[in-house]
Amino acid sequence: MKQAPYWWDQAPLSTGLTNFPTAKSDVVIVGSGYTGLCAALVLARGGATVTVIEAGKLGEGASSRNGGMVGPSFHKLGVRGLQAEFGKEKTNEILRESVGFVDFMKQFLKDEAIDADFQQVGRFRGAMSGAHFDAMARELENLQEACDVQGHMVERKDQGRETGSDRFHGGVVYELDGGLHPAKYHAALVQKVKDAGVHLVSETTVLELERLNASMLVKTTRGNVQAREVAICTNGYTGNPFSDLKKRILPLRSALVATAEIPVDVINRLMPKRRMYGDSRRIIAYYRTSPDGKRILFGGRASGYHENTARNVRILRNSMSDIFPELRNIELSHAWSGLVAYTFDHTPHIGNMGGLHFAMGYCGSGVARSSYFGTKLGYKILGKSEEGRTVFDDIPMRGRPLYSGTPWFMPAVLTWHRIADRLGF
Ligand SMILES: Cc1cc2nc3c(=O)[nH]c(=O)nc-3n(C[C@H](O)[C@H](O)[C@H](O)COP(=O)(O)OP(=O)(O)OC[C@H]3O[C@@H](n4cnc5c(N)ncnc54)[C@H](O)[C@@H]3O)c2cc1C
Protein backbone atom coordinates (compact mmCIF):
# COMPACT_ATOMS: atom_id res chain seq x y z
CA MET A 1 0.00 0.00 0.00
CA LYS A 2 1.37 3.41 -0.99
CA GLN A 3 1.41 6.02 1.74
CA ALA A 4 0.66 8.82 -0.69
CA PRO A 5 -2.44 10.24 -2.36
CA TYR A 6 -3.98 8.11 -5.11
CA TRP A 7 -4.27 11.36 -7.11
CA TRP A 8 -0.49 11.77 -7.38
CA ASP A 9 -0.28 8.63 -9.56
CA GLN A 10 -2.01 10.54 -12.37
CA ALA A 11 -0.88 14.10 -11.46
CA PRO A 12 2.45 14.07 -9.60
CA LEU A 13 3.43 17.14 -7.58
CA SER A 14 5.74 19.59 -9.27
CA THR A 15 8.33 21.95 -7.87
CA GLY A 16 8.82 25.64 -8.56
CA LEU A 17 11.81 27.95 -8.43
CA THR A 18 14.32 27.55 -5.61
CA ASN A 19 15.37 31.19 -5.55
CA PHE A 20 13.70 34.57 -5.75
CA PRO A 21 14.02 35.94 -9.28
CA THR A 22 13.27 39.45 -8.01
CA ALA A 23 14.06 41.06 -4.65
CA LYS A 24 10.75 42.95 -4.76
CA SER A 25 7.26 41.87 -5.70
CA ASP A 26 3.99 43.81 -5.62
CA VAL A 27 2.35 40.89 -3.82
CA VAL A 28 3.72 37.88 -1.96
CA ILE A 29 1.30 35.01 -1.41
CA VAL A 30 2.12 32.40 1.23
CA GLY A 31 0.74 28.97 0.27
CA SER A 32 0.33 27.38 -3.17
CA GLY A 33 -3.02 25.64 -2.71
CA TYR A 34 -6.20 26.60 -4.55
CA THR A 35 -6.62 29.81 -2.48
CA GLY A 36 -3.12 31.09 -3.18
CA LEU A 37 -3.10 30.17 -6.86
CA CYS A 38 -6.58 31.54 -7.60
CA ALA A 39 -5.62 34.83 -5.92
CA ALA A 40 -2.31 34.86 -7.83
CA LEU A 41 -4.08 34.35 -11.15
CA VAL A 42 -6.39 37.35 -10.67
CA LEU A 43 -3.54 39.54 -9.43
CA ALA A 44 -1.11 38.69 -12.22
CA ARG A 45 -3.75 39.16 -14.89
CA GLY A 46 -4.59 42.49 -13.23
CA GLY A 47 -1.02 43.67 -13.79
CA ALA A 48 0.64 42.97 -10.41
CA THR A 49 3.97 41.21 -10.00
CA VAL A 50 3.27 38.18 -7.81
CA THR A 51 5.47 35.72 -5.94
CA VAL A 52 3.91 32.60 -4.39
CA ILE A 53 5.98 30.96 -1.64
CA GLU A 54 5.29 27.34 -0.70
CA ALA A 55 6.93 25.36 2.11
CA GLY A 56 6.54 22.00 0.37
CA LYS A 57 6.19 21.04 -3.26
CA LEU A 58 3.53 23.00 -5.14
CA GLY A 59 0.08 22.13 -3.77
CA GLU A 60 1.47 19.69 -1.24
CA GLY A 61 -1.03 20.88 1.41
CA ALA A 62 -4.69 19.90 1.20
CA SER A 63 -5.22 21.01 -2.40
CA SER A 64 -3.66 17.96 -4.06
CA ARG A 65 -4.83 15.39 -1.52
CA ASN A 66 -8.53 16.07 -0.85
CA GLY A 67 -11.57 13.99 -1.80
CA GLY A 68 -12.34 16.17 -4.83
CA MET A 69 -15.95 16.70 -3.76
CA VAL A 70 -17.42 19.95 -5.00
CA GLY A 71 -20.47 21.38 -3.28
CA PRO A 72 -21.97 24.47 -1.69
CA SER A 73 -20.88 23.17 1.74
CA PHE A 74 -23.49 24.82 3.87
CA HIS A 75 -24.58 21.93 6.02
CA LYS A 76 -22.11 22.23 8.93
CA LEU A 77 -24.29 24.49 11.08
CA GLY A 78 -27.59 23.81 9.36
CA VAL A 79 -30.03 26.56 8.50
CA ARG A 80 -31.27 26.96 12.08
CA GLY A 81 -27.70 27.01 13.43
CA LEU A 82 -26.73 29.68 10.91
CA GLN A 83 -29.78 31.72 11.82
CA ALA A 84 -28.88 31.51 15.51
CA GLU A 85 -25.38 32.77 14.69
CA PHE A 86 -26.13 35.39 12.02
CA GLY A 87 -29.90 36.09 11.94
CA LYS A 88 -32.33 35.16 9.18
CA GLU A 89 -31.47 37.75 6.55
CA LYS A 90 -27.70 37.22 6.69
CA THR A 91 -28.24 33.44 6.73
CA ASN A 92 -30.21 33.60 3.50
CA GLU A 93 -27.49 35.73 1.91
CA ILE A 94 -24.80 33.27 3.04
CA LEU A 95 -26.76 30.31 1.69
CA ARG A 96 -27.53 31.95 -1.64
CA GLU A 97 -23.87 32.84 -2.16
CA SER A 98 -22.83 29.31 -1.10
CA VAL A 99 -25.12 27.70 -3.68
CA GLY A 100 -23.27 29.83 -6.22
CA PHE A 101 -19.86 28.28 -5.34
CA VAL A 102 -20.61 25.27 -7.56
CA ASP A 103 -21.69 27.41 -10.51
CA PHE A 104 -18.57 29.51 -9.99
CA MET A 105 -16.44 26.36 -10.09
CA LYS A 106 -18.15 25.02 -13.23
CA GLN A 107 -17.79 28.33 -15.02
CA PHE A 108 -14.17 28.71 -13.93
CA LEU A 109 -13.23 25.24 -15.24
CA LYS A 110 -15.04 26.00 -18.48
CA ASP A 111 -13.56 29.50 -18.98
CA GLU A 112 -10.05 28.26 -18.26
CA ALA A 113 -10.56 25.06 -20.30
CA ILE A 114 -9.37 22.96 -17.35
CA ASP A 115 -9.93 19.23 -17.70
CA ALA A 116 -10.00 17.89 -14.15
CA ASP A 117 -12.57 15.09 -14.61
CA PHE A 118 -15.34 17.26 -13.16
CA GLN A 119 -18.73 15.54 -13.16
CA GLN A 120 -21.86 16.97 -11.61
CA VAL A 121 -23.19 13.67 -10.28
CA GLY A 122 -24.99 14.90 -7.14
CA ARG A 123 -24.45 13.79 -3.55
CA PHE A 124 -26.33 11.17 -1.53
CA ARG A 125 -26.29 11.52 2.26
CA GLY A 126 -27.54 8.43 4.08
CA ALA A 127 -29.56 8.68 7.32
CA MET A 128 -28.31 6.41 10.12
CA SER A 129 -31.72 6.41 11.86
CA GLY A 130 -35.33 7.38 11.28
CA ALA A 131 -34.79 10.48 13.41
CA HIS A 132 -31.83 11.48 11.23
CA PHE A 133 -34.00 11.00 8.12
CA ASP A 134 -36.67 13.32 9.56
CA ALA A 135 -34.02 15.92 10.45
CA MET A 136 -32.62 15.71 6.90
CA ALA A 137 -36.09 16.27 5.43
CA ARG A 138 -36.58 19.34 7.63
CA GLU A 139 -33.14 20.66 6.66
CA LEU A 140 -33.86 20.18 2.95
CA GLU A 141 -37.12 22.11 3.33
CA ASN A 142 -35.34 24.92 5.18
CA LEU A 143 -32.64 25.08 2.52
CA GLN A 144 -35.16 25.09 -0.30
CA GLU A 145 -36.99 27.94 1.37
CA ALA A 146 -33.79 29.91 2.03
CA CYS A 147 -31.89 29.41 -1.22
CA ASP A 148 -33.89 27.18 -3.52
CA VAL A 149 -31.33 24.37 -3.46
CA GLN A 150 -32.12 21.40 -5.68
CA GLY A 151 -32.55 18.16 -3.78
CA HIS A 152 -34.94 15.36 -2.91
CA MET A 153 -35.50 12.82 -0.16
CA VAL A 154 -35.10 9.11 -0.86
CA GLU A 155 -37.24 6.72 1.21
CA ARG A 156 -35.63 3.62 2.67
CA LYS A 157 -37.61 1.37 0.32
CA ASP A 158 -36.13 3.23 -2.69
CA GLN A 159 -32.56 3.68 -1.52
CA GLY A 160 -31.27 0.72 -3.56
CA ARG A 161 -31.33 3.10 -6.50
CA GLU A 162 -28.74 5.22 -4.69
CA THR A 163 -26.58 2.87 -2.65
CA GLY A 164 -25.79 -0.80 -2.13
CA SER A 165 -25.68 -0.23 1.64
CA ASP A 166 -28.67 -1.33 3.70
CA ARG A 167 -27.31 0.55 6.69
CA PHE A 168 -29.42 3.65 5.98
CA HIS A 169 -32.97 4.67 6.80
CA GLY A 170 -33.23 6.52 3.50
CA GLY A 171 -31.39 9.73 2.77
CA VAL A 172 -31.21 12.93 0.81
CA VAL A 173 -29.83 13.73 -2.62
CA TYR A 174 -28.37 17.17 -3.35
CA GLU A 175 -28.27 17.47 -7.11
CA LEU A 176 -25.87 20.39 -7.36
CA ASP A 177 -22.79 18.60 -6.03
CA GLY A 178 -20.11 16.93 -8.11
CA GLY A 179 -16.61 15.57 -8.03
CA LEU A 180 -13.30 16.29 -9.71
CA HIS A 181 -9.70 15.09 -9.69
CA PRO A 182 -8.11 17.46 -7.14
CA ALA A 183 -4.48 17.05 -8.21
CA LYS A 184 -5.28 17.42 -11.92
CA TYR A 185 -7.18 20.59 -11.04
CA HIS A 186 -4.24 21.87 -9.02
CA ALA A 187 -1.70 21.01 -11.75
CA ALA A 188 -3.80 22.94 -14.27
CA LEU A 189 -3.87 25.95 -11.93
CA VAL A 190 -0.07 25.81 -11.61
CA GLN A 191 0.21 26.00 -15.39
CA LYS A 192 -2.27 28.91 -15.56
CA VAL A 193 -0.40 31.03 -12.99
CA LYS A 194 2.95 30.28 -14.64
CA ASP A 195 1.52 31.39 -17.98
CA ALA A 196 0.31 34.58 -16.28
CA GLY A 197 3.89 35.34 -15.15
CA VAL A 198 3.65 34.46 -11.44
CA HIS A 199 6.90 33.43 -9.72
CA LEU A 200 6.30 30.12 -7.95
CA VAL A 201 8.93 29.41 -5.30
CA SER A 202 8.66 26.00 -3.64
CA GLU A 203 10.36 24.15 -0.75
CA THR A 204 10.77 27.53 0.92
CA THR A 205 9.21 28.36 4.27
CA VAL A 206 8.16 31.85 5.31
CA LEU A 207 9.65 32.33 8.79
CA GLU A 208 8.82 35.90 9.70
CA LEU A 209 7.30 39.11 8.40
CA GLU A 210 8.92 42.45 9.16
CA ARG A 211 6.96 45.63 8.61
CA LEU A 212 8.92 48.33 6.76
CA ASN A 213 7.59 51.83 6.02
CA ALA A 214 5.19 51.17 3.15
CA SER A 215 5.94 47.50 2.59
CA MET A 216 6.71 44.19 4.25
CA LEU A 217 9.94 42.17 4.33
CA VAL A 218 9.12 38.48 3.94
CA LYS A 219 11.91 36.42 5.53
CA THR A 220 12.20 32.83 4.34
CA THR A 221 14.51 29.83 4.51
CA ARG A 222 15.97 30.94 1.15
CA GLY A 223 16.39 34.65 1.78
CA ASN A 224 14.15 37.68 1.83
CA VAL A 225 11.72 39.32 -0.55
CA GLN A 226 10.03 42.70 -0.17
CA ALA A 227 6.34 43.13 -0.96
CA ARG A 228 3.75 45.89 -0.88
CA GLU A 229 1.00 43.40 -0.01
CA VAL A 230 1.16 39.96 1.62
CA ALA A 231 -1.61 37.35 1.48
CA ILE A 232 -1.71 34.40 3.86
CA CYS A 233 -3.31 31.41 2.14
CA THR A 234 -2.19 28.64 4.48
CA ASN A 235 -5.55 27.28 5.76
CA GLY A 236 -4.97 24.13 7.92
CA TYR A 237 -1.19 24.66 7.74
CA THR A 238 -1.24 28.17 9.26
CA GLY A 239 1.75 28.36 11.61
CA ASN A 240 3.57 30.58 14.06
CA PRO A 241 4.65 33.39 11.72
CA PHE A 242 0.94 34.18 11.42
CA SER A 243 -0.04 33.71 15.06
CA ASP A 244 -3.07 36.07 14.93
CA LEU A 245 -4.62 33.83 12.29
CA LYS A 246 -3.34 30.59 13.79
CA LYS A 247 -5.20 31.18 17.05
CA ARG A 248 -8.48 31.54 15.14
CA ILE A 249 -8.10 28.23 13.26
CA LEU A 250 -8.65 24.64 14.42
CA PRO A 251 -6.35 22.46 12.29
CA LEU A 252 -7.80 18.95 12.00
CA ARG A 253 -6.47 15.95 10.12
CA SER A 254 -8.63 14.29 7.48
CA ALA A 255 -7.59 10.96 5.94
CA LEU A 256 -8.44 8.91 2.87
CA VAL A 257 -7.87 5.41 1.55
CA ALA A 258 -8.25 4.10 -1.99
CA THR A 259 -9.18 0.49 -2.65
CA ALA A 260 -7.49 -1.62 -5.27
CA GLU A 261 -9.55 -1.91 -8.47
CA ILE A 262 -12.95 -3.48 -7.78
CA PRO A 263 -15.04 -5.46 -10.33
CA VAL A 264 -17.47 -3.12 -12.09
CA ASP A 265 -20.55 -5.12 -11.04
CA VAL A 266 -19.61 -4.56 -7.37
CA ILE A 267 -19.18 -0.81 -7.89
CA ASN A 268 -22.46 -0.72 -9.83
CA ARG A 269 -24.19 -2.29 -6.84
CA LEU A 270 -22.54 -0.16 -4.12
CA MET A 271 -22.56 3.22 -5.88
CA PRO A 272 -24.98 2.79 -8.80
CA LYS A 273 -25.07 6.48 -9.78
CA ARG A 274 -21.42 7.21 -9.03
CA ARG A 275 -22.49 10.09 -6.80
CA MET A 276 -20.52 11.72 -3.99
CA TYR A 277 -21.57 10.10 -0.68
CA GLY A 278 -21.74 10.84 3.02
CA ASP A 279 -23.91 9.93 5.96
CA SER A 280 -25.26 11.33 9.19
CA ARG A 281 -22.66 9.84 11.54
CA ARG A 282 -21.06 12.50 13.74
CA ILE A 283 -17.60 11.24 12.85
CA ILE A 284 -17.49 12.57 9.33
CA ALA A 285 -17.14 10.09 6.47
CA TYR A 286 -17.12 10.87 2.76
CA TYR A 287 -16.82 8.42 -0.13
CA ARG A 288 -16.94 8.22 -3.91
CA THR A 289 -15.53 6.28 -6.80
CA SER A 290 -12.29 7.32 -8.46
CA PRO A 291 -13.00 9.37 -11.61
CA ASP A 292 -12.35 6.26 -13.76
CA GLY A 293 -15.02 4.43 -11.71
CA LYS A 294 -12.72 1.54 -10.81
CA ARG A 295 -11.99 2.13 -7.12
CA ILE A 296 -13.68 3.42 -4.03
CA LEU A 297 -12.09 6.32 -2.18
CA PHE A 298 -13.19 6.46 1.44
CA GLY A 299 -12.35 9.36 3.74
CA GLY A 300 -13.03 10.61 7.21
CA ARG A 301 -11.67 12.21 10.34
CA ALA A 302 -8.14 10.96 11.17
CA SER A 303 -6.97 9.81 14.57
CA GLY A 304 -5.05 12.91 15.70
CA TYR A 305 -3.15 16.00 14.66
CA HIS A 306 -0.06 14.09 13.50
CA GLU A 307 0.04 11.60 10.65
CA ASN A 308 -0.50 8.02 11.86
CA THR A 309 -1.23 5.99 8.76
CA ALA A 310 -1.72 2.62 10.48
CA ARG A 311 -4.33 4.04 12.84
CA ASN A 312 -6.07 6.02 10.11
CA VAL A 313 -6.33 2.91 7.95
CA ARG A 314 -7.86 1.00 10.85
CA ILE A 315 -10.40 3.77 11.52
CA LEU A 316 -11.34 4.14 7.85
CA ARG A 317 -11.57 0.38 7.25
CA ASN A 318 -13.99 0.10 10.19
CA SER A 319 -15.99 3.08 9.00
CA MET A 320 -16.14 1.72 5.43
CA SER A 321 -17.16 -1.79 6.45
CA ASP A 322 -19.87 -0.36 8.71
CA ILE A 323 -21.45 1.05 5.51
CA PHE A 324 -20.33 -1.63 3.03
CA PRO A 325 -19.67 -4.91 4.97
CA GLU A 326 -18.50 -6.70 1.81
CA LEU A 327 -15.49 -4.34 1.64
CA ARG A 328 -14.24 -5.43 5.09
CA ASN A 329 -11.18 -7.26 3.70
CA ILE A 330 -10.74 -5.35 0.46
CA GLU A 331 -7.15 -4.64 -0.52
CA LEU A 332 -6.21 -0.98 -0.15
CA SER A 333 -3.82 0.59 -2.66
CA HIS A 334 -3.22 4.04 -1.09
CA ALA A 335 -3.61 5.79 2.26
CA TRP A 336 -2.89 9.44 3.02
CA SER A 337 -4.04 12.41 5.03
CA GLY A 338 -3.82 16.19 5.27
CA LEU A 339 -4.90 19.14 7.37
CA VAL A 340 -8.15 21.07 7.10
CA ALA A 341 -9.05 24.26 8.98
CA TYR A 342 -12.17 24.63 11.09
CA THR A 343 -13.27 27.92 12.60
CA PHE A 344 -15.19 28.57 15.80
CA ASP A 345 -18.27 29.78 13.89
CA HIS A 346 -18.02 26.97 11.27
CA THR A 347 -17.70 29.64 8.59
CA PRO A 348 -14.87 30.45 6.18
CA HIS A 349 -13.27 33.89 6.50
CA ILE A 350 -11.71 36.43 4.19
CA GLY A 351 -10.31 39.87 4.89
CA ASN A 352 -7.35 41.76 6.25
CA MET A 353 -5.94 41.35 9.73
CA GLY A 354 -3.14 43.61 10.96
CA GLY A 355 -2.20 44.53 7.38
CA LEU A 356 -2.15 40.91 6.15
CA HIS A 357 -4.68 39.73 3.59
CA PHE A 358 -6.07 36.25 4.19
CA ALA A 359 -8.72 33.72 3.15
CA MET A 360 -9.09 30.45 5.06
CA GLY A 361 -11.20 28.32 7.41
CA TYR A 362 -13.11 26.24 4.88
CA CYS A 363 -14.11 23.68 7.54
CA GLY A 364 -13.15 20.63 5.49
CA SER A 365 -15.15 21.67 2.41
CA GLY A 366 -12.76 23.84 0.50
CA VAL A 367 -12.41 22.76 -3.11
CA ALA A 368 -15.02 25.18 -4.44
CA ARG A 369 -14.85 27.55 -1.48
CA SER A 370 -11.07 28.12 -1.64
CA SER A 371 -11.17 28.68 -5.41
CA TYR A 372 -13.96 31.21 -4.93
CA PHE A 373 -12.39 32.93 -1.91
CA GLY A 374 -8.94 32.98 -3.53
CA THR A 375 -10.43 34.71 -6.57
CA LYS A 376 -12.26 37.24 -4.37
CA LEU A 377 -9.07 37.85 -2.40
CA GLY A 378 -7.19 38.60 -5.62
CA TYR A 379 -9.75 41.24 -6.58
CA LYS A 380 -9.68 42.78 -3.09
CA ILE A 381 -5.89 43.15 -3.19
CA LEU A 382 -6.12 44.70 -6.66
CA GLY A 383 -8.50 47.26 -5.14
CA LYS A 384 -11.45 46.05 -7.24
CA SER A 385 -13.89 46.13 -4.37
CA GLU A 386 -17.01 45.34 -6.41
CA GLU A 387 -15.58 42.12 -7.90
CA GLY A 388 -14.00 41.26 -4.53
CA ARG A 389 -17.15 41.69 -2.46
CA THR A 390 -18.67 38.67 -0.71
CA VAL A 391 -21.35 38.26 1.93
CA PHE A 392 -18.63 36.82 4.19
CA ASP A 393 -16.72 40.15 4.27
CA ASP A 394 -18.07 41.58 7.47
CA ILE A 395 -18.11 38.36 9.53
CA PRO A 396 -15.47 38.76 12.26
CA MET A 397 -13.09 35.82 12.66
CA ARG A 398 -13.03 35.08 16.35
CA GLY A 399 -10.78 32.94 18.51
CA ARG A 400 -11.40 31.70 22.02
CA PRO A 401 -9.73 32.69 25.30
CA LEU A 402 -6.78 30.40 26.14
CA TYR A 403 -6.71 28.92 22.63
CA SER A 404 -3.45 29.58 20.76
CA GLY A 405 -3.80 27.25 17.79
CA THR A 406 -3.32 23.72 19.14
CA PRO A 407 -6.68 21.96 19.48
CA TRP A 408 -5.75 19.98 22.62
CA PHE A 409 -9.44 19.27 23.31
CA MET A 410 -10.15 17.48 20.01
CA PRO A 411 -9.35 13.91 21.18
CA ALA A 412 -12.06 14.29 23.87
CA VAL A 413 -14.51 15.76 21.34
CA LEU A 414 -13.86 12.91 18.89
CA THR A 415 -14.28 10.29 21.61
CA TRP A 416 -17.64 11.82 22.51
CA HIS A 417 -18.70 11.80 18.82
CA ARG A 418 -17.70 8.12 18.51
CA ILE A 419 -19.78 7.23 21.57
CA ALA A 420 -22.74 9.26 20.23
CA ASP A 421 -22.47 7.44 16.87
CA ARG A 422 -22.48 4.08 18.64
CA LEU A 423 -25.53 5.07 20.69
CA GLY A 424 -27.25 6.41 17.56
CA PHE A 425 -27.75 10.04 18.68
C1 LIG B 1 -7.81 14.53 3.25
C2 LIG B 1 -8.62 15.74 2.84
C3 LIG B 1 -9.83 15.57 2.17
C4 LIG B 1 -10.60 16.67 1.78
N1 LIG B 1 -11.70 16.48 1.01
C5 LIG B 1 -12.39 17.54 0.54
C6 LIG B 1 -13.47 17.35 -0.38
O1 LIG B 1 -13.77 16.23 -0.80
N2 LIG B 1 -14.15 18.45 -0.78
C7 LIG B 1 -13.82 19.72 -0.38
O2 LIG B 1 -14.49 20.68 -0.76
N3 LIG B 1 -12.76 19.92 0.45
C8 LIG B 1 -12.03 18.88 0.89
N4 LIG B 1 -10.94 19.08 1.67
C9 LIG B 1 -10.56 20.47 2.02
C10 LIG B 1 -9.82 21.19 0.88
O3 LIG B 1 -8.84 20.37 0.33
C11 LIG B 1 -9.17 22.48 1.45
O4 LIG B 1 -10.16 23.27 2.07
C12 LIG B 1 -8.51 23.33 0.35
O5 LIG B 1 -7.65 22.55 -0.43
C13 LIG B 1 -7.76 24.46 1.01
O6 LIG B 1 -6.95 25.09 0.05
P1 LIG B 1 -5.91 26.19 0.50
O7 LIG B 1 -5.22 26.64 -0.71
O8 LIG B 1 -6.60 27.22 1.30
O9 LIG B 1 -4.92 25.44 1.51
P2 LIG B 1 -3.86 24.27 1.25
O10 LIG B 1 -4.10 23.59 -0.03
O11 LIG B 1 -3.83 23.43 2.47
O12 LIG B 1 -2.50 25.07 1.06
C14 LIG B 1 -1.87 25.75 2.12
C15 LIG B 1 -0.37 25.72 1.83
O13 LIG B 1 0.30 26.67 2.66
C16 LIG B 1 1.62 26.19 2.81
N5 LIG B 1 2.25 26.89 3.95
C17 LIG B 1 1.81 26.93 5.23
N6 LIG B 1 2.65 27.68 5.99
C18 LIG B 1 3.64 28.12 5.17
C19 LIG B 1 4.80 28.92 5.36
N7 LIG B 1 5.12 29.43 6.58
N8 LIG B 1 5.61 29.16 4.30
C20 LIG B 1 5.30 28.67 3.08
N9 LIG B 1 4.20 27.90 2.83
C21 LIG B 1 3.38 27.63 3.87
C22 LIG B 1 1.42 24.71 3.07
O14 LIG B 1 2.60 23.98 2.85
C23 LIG B 1 0.26 24.36 2.12
O15 LIG B 1 0.73 23.78 0.93
C24 LIG B 1 -10.16 18.00 2.11
C25 LIG B 1 -8.95 18.17 2.77
C26 LIG B 1 -8.18 17.06 3.14
C27 LIG B 1 -6.88 17.27 3.86
Side-chain angles (χ1 to χ4, degrees):
M1 185 179 65
K2 281 191 193 171
Q3 297 192 16
Y6 163 73
W7 311 115
W8 295 359
D9 284 2
Q10 302 91 42
L13 293 181
S14 60
T15 51
L17 305 167
T18 49
N19 62 345
F20 291 110
T22 53
K24 286 186 182 176
S25 191
D26 291 336
V27 185
V28 160
I29 293 176
V30 188
S32 69
Y34 305 140
T35 308
L37 296 191
C38 287
L41 194 58
V42 170
L43 282 157
R45 286 179 180 168
T49 55
V50 186
T51 304
V52 174
I53 306 177
E54 166 58 51
K57 291 185 176 170
L58 298 174
E60 193 163 353
S63 294
S64 65
R65 49 176 80 234
N66 59 71
M69 299 186 177
V70 175
S73 318
F74 40 48
H75 59 271
K76 294 265 158 37
L77 271 185
V79 178
R80 295 287 175 251
L82 276 171
Q83 285 172 347
E85 185 87 26
F86 302 112
K88 193 166 178 184
E89 202 177 311
K90 183 78 176 175
T91 294
N92 288 356
E93 284 171 16
I94 289 175
L95 291 173
R96 280 198 291 268
E97 192 164 316
S98 302
V99 166
F101 294 161
V102 182
D103 284 342
F104 165 84
M105 201 63 213
K106 270 167 62 180
Q107 196 58 44
F108 182 66
L109 294 172
K110 192 168 161 218
D111 290 349
E112 298 293 339
I114 292 177
D115 178 10
D117 301 332
F118 177 70
Q119 288 181 312
Q120 197 165 18
V121 287
R123 179 166 63 96
F124 175 76
R125 184 159 180 255
M128 302 305 287
S129 69
H132 289 187
F133 180 84
D134 294 342
M136 281 179 183
R138 280 196 301 277
E139 183 64 4
L140 177 61
E141 250 176 53
N142 291 339
L143 283 168
Q144 282 172 331
E145 192 192 318
C147 61
D148 210 18
V149 70
Q150 292 161 25
H152 60 270
M153 298 303 296
V154 180
E155 299 280 342
R156 189 174 198 170
K157 64 180 173 40
D158 301 322
Q159 71 185 11
R161 291 206 292 263
E162 294 293 340
T163 171
S165 175
D166 58 9
R167 188 71 173 75
F168 304 126
H169 296 244
V172 62
V173 170
Y174 288 103
E175 283 137 27
L176 203 59
D177 294 51
L180 51 62
H181 188 302
K184 281 190 187 172
Y185 171 44
H186 186 271
L189 278 177
V190 167
Q191 195 52 53
K192 293 280 166 195
V193 298
K194 274 188 187 164
D195 293 347
V198 172
H199 301 308
L200 288 166
V201 180
S202 65
E203 296 136 301
T204 302
T205 302
V206 173
L207 301 171
E208 197 186 337
L209 301 172
E210 186 185 324
R211 208 168 296 277
L212 306 174
N213 280 341
S215 63
M216 200 87 85
L217 190 63
V218 182
K219 299 182 175 175
T220 82
T221 45
R222 287 189 204 270
N224 302 343
V225 60
Q226 198 176 325
R228 267 197 291 114
E229 310 285 348
V230 176
I232 312 302
C233 302
T234 47
N235 204 46
Y237 296 83
T238 304
N240 289 333
F242 325 114
S243 55
D244 279 350
L245 290 163
K246 184 184 173 200
K247 66 188 184 198
R248 291 168 166 83
I249 286 287
L250 294 149
L252 299 182
R253 193 162 282 278
S254 192
L256 273 153
V257 290
T259 67
E261 290 189 7
I262 295 178
V264 68
D265 56 308
V266 176
I267 301 246
N268 284 342
R269 193 169 65 249
L270 300 183
M271 298 184 173
K273 292 185 180 158
R274 306 287 197 273
R275 292 198 195 275
M276 304 292 115
Y277 298 85
D279 54 59
S280 62
R281 285 177 292 183
R282 280 166 180 261
I283 297 285
I284 290 164
Y286 47 94
Y287 25 110
R288 58 172 291 182
T289 60
S290 50
D292 65 7
K294 293 181 177 171
R295 299 161 194 262
I296 286 179
L297 309 183
F298 200 99
R301 186 67 58 240
S303 69
Y305 178 75
H306 298 287
E307 168 68 26
N308 184 335
T309 312
R311 254 168 79 186
N312 292 341
V313 166
R314 222 168 32 244
I315 289 169
L316 292 176
R317 202 182 264 289
N318 283 340
S319 180
M320 181 164 69
S321 42
D322 187 14
I323 303 301
F324 301 120
E326 68 188 276
L327 298 183
R328 180 166 294 282
N329 297 314
I330 188 86
E331 187 193 339
L332 300 176
S333 61
H334 299 72
W336 70 99
S337 73
L339 292 173
V340 300
Y342 275 68
T343 56
F344 287 101
D345 60 4
H346 303 268
T347 305
H349 289 270
I350 182 168
N352 187 300
M353 194 177 288
L356 296 178
H357 303 279
F358 70 92
M360 59 179 64
Y362 308 114
C363 301
S365 302
V367 174
R369 277 172 160 177
S370 60
S371 307
Y372 180 87
F373 273 58
T375 301
K376 291 285 182 188
L377 192 66
Y379 283 120
K380 281 180 192 299
I381 299 171
L382 272 183
K384 296 194 168 183
S385 51
E386 197 47 48
E387 288 95 327
R389 179 166 300 135
T390 124
V391 69
F392 295 85
D393 282 344
D394 56 355
I395 301 178
M397 188 180 185
R398 297 211 166 88
R400 287 287 184 275
L402 302 182
Y403 178 71
S404 59
T406 308
W408 48 268
F409 41 82
M410 278 319 288
V413 173
L414 289 178
T415 302
W416 158 242
H417 283 182
R418 283 202 179 92
I419 294 169
D421 275 343
R422 240 173 267 141
L423 299 176
F425 290 170

